[in-house]
Amino acid sequence: MKRRRTAIVAGNWKMNFDHLEATLFVQKLAWMLKDVHFDFKKCEVAIMPSFTSLRSVQVLIESENIPIKYGAQTVSVTSQGAFTGDVSADMLAALGCSYVIVGHSERRKYHPENDANLVDQVRAVLAAGMKPVLCVGESLSERREGIELEFAVGQVNEVARDLSSEEASQMLVAYEPLWAIGTGMTATSTSAQEACKAIREYFDNTYGGETAEKIKVLYGGSVNSSNAAQLLSDCADMDGFLVGGASLDVEEFASIVRITQKLAGSFR
Ligand code: 13P
């Protein structure tokens, strides 16, 4: 069967790169992908820079018609007002953002982002016409208990259960087991596929097959150019990657993107 959803590789730059480094990276990536006649219809490419780089990235991408998308790493739940330091969804949409990461484990750890807050973030992102990339995944202790699937699906449920099917179908979910983030320990194909499948089944059970077929489920956690091909070809329910560390190296990121494009149209 052919993969039905367009693949996507998104680079989560976390708190790296100022606006000069960000624009230099985008120029290099665009040039490298153009050089290999990269087919963006088969694989979407996105980067998530810091807030401070978004405007510079937007100006470059729009002025040069570069088919790379971009987004933010978090968003405020409120639209305006006395919320010092916050950035609203409308502000991000006004900068041409396509995506916003919601509930990354680092945000959950270092900031008070609970489930109710994440639901509001998802709603704010959708209302502003962007797509949320909801991050879920178990820690080592849940994995040791053998409850990793229930845990990850439970996190999806906490955020998605009150959405309409129209809203839910706009979401992307990134399965990012905490023990795999920045550790060099990647999930095996078997466990990554189990989790991606369980997440898709959740949408099937809650919203029906049509919505479940639209949801893009990504994997994140020590993805690099050496493990991307194996993961993607083994995991029928995986639609791409959310890449951290390896997205900071343009050659490495371009390799992951090319591997994904090559496998995107493949049969499974
Ligand atoms: P690493 O690819 O560095 O493990 O990070 C994954 C991640 O957190 C992406 O959001």
Side-chain angles (χ1 to χ4, degrees):
M1 204 195 334
K2 218 170 163 113
R3 282 179 199 275
R4 271 165 286 194
R5 295 163 293 274
T6 309
I8 171 166
V9 178
N12 174 12
W13 285 353
K14 308 189 179 183
M15 200 172 71
N16 292 287
F17 294 162
D18 66 18
H19 68 292
L20 294 176
E21 293 164 316
T23 44
L24 184 61
F25 184 107
V26 173
Q27 287 179 62
K28 277 192 198 159
L29 181 63
W31 183 84
M32 286 169 83
L33 295 180
K34 193 171 176 194
D35 202 39
V36 296
H37 307 289
F38 187 81
D39 186 352
F40 287 89
K41 287 198 195 81
K42 284 193 182 157
C43 176
E44 244 183 67
V45 181
I47 49 154
M48 274 68 164
S50 298
F51 287 140
T52 52
S53 297
L54 283 172
R55 177 63 174 164
S56 309
V57 165
Q58 177 197 23
V59 169
L60 172 65
I61 283 182
E62 287 185 359
S63 61
E64 296 298 326
N65 284 322
I66 296 171
I68 294 172
K69 302 202 170 163
Y70 53 93
Q73 299 172 15
T74 187
V75 67
S76 171
V77 297
T78 45
S79 57
Q80 62 172 45
F83 301 98
T84 303
D86 281 0
V87 174
S88 77
D90 284 342
M91 291 170 181
L92 297 174
L95 289 178
C97 288
S98 300
Y99 297 102
V100 179
I101 297 175
V102 173
H104 191 281
S105 57
E106 288 148 15
R107 298 289 311 174
R108 294 181 196 247
K109 183 172 171 191
Y110 300 119
H111 301 269
E113 296 198 355
N114 56 26
D115 289 325
N117 178 273
L118 298 181
V119 177
D120 288 343
Q121 282 191 40
V122 165
R123 288 228 159 93
V125 171
L126 290 171
M130 302 174 289
K131 293 190 174 183
V133 182
L134 174 68
C135 297
V136 298
E138 81 286 354
S139 69
L140 216 45
S141 74
E142 285 103 24
R143 174 153 287 262
R144 286 200 184 110
E145 275 183 66
I147 57 162
E148 64 273 14
L149 296 183
E150 292 91 319
F151 186 85
V153 171
Q155 284 183 314
V156 177
N157 180 48
E158 286 301 325
V159 174
R161 67 176 171 215
D162 292 329
L163 302 178
S164 68
S165 58
E166 234 168 61
E167 288 173 322
S169 62
Q170 297 295 308
M171 285 176 67
L172 287 77
V173 179
Y175 170 63
E176 300 203 314
L178 269 59
W179 49 268
I181 296 179
T183 58
M185 290 197 302
T186 320
T188 62
S189 294
T190 310
S191 68
Q193 167 56 15
E194 270 173 8
C196 294
K197 185 164 176 256
I199 290 165
R200 196 174 307 289
E201 277 171 2
Y202 164 80
F203 284 98
D204 195 5
N205 297 334
T206 314
Y207 295 101
E210 211 178 305
T211 301
E213 271 306 312
K214 284 187 196 152
I215 299 283
K216 289 187 191 179
V217 185
L218 314 182
Y219 168 77
S222 297
V223 173
N224 58 40
S225 62
S226 312
N227 55 33
Q230 177 96 53
L231 280 164
L232 205 57
S233 39
D234 288 350
C235 301
D237 284 287
M238 191 186 287
D239 301 307
F241 302 111
L242 185 56
V243 188
S247 74
L248 300 174
D249 178 328
V250 71
E251 311 240 336
E252 184 66 6
F253 190 60
S255 295
I256 298 168
V257 161
R258 289 174 62 186
I259 289 164
T260 306
Q261 180 221 244
K262 214 164 132 197
L263 292 167
S266 66
F267 289 79
R268 61 183 192 211

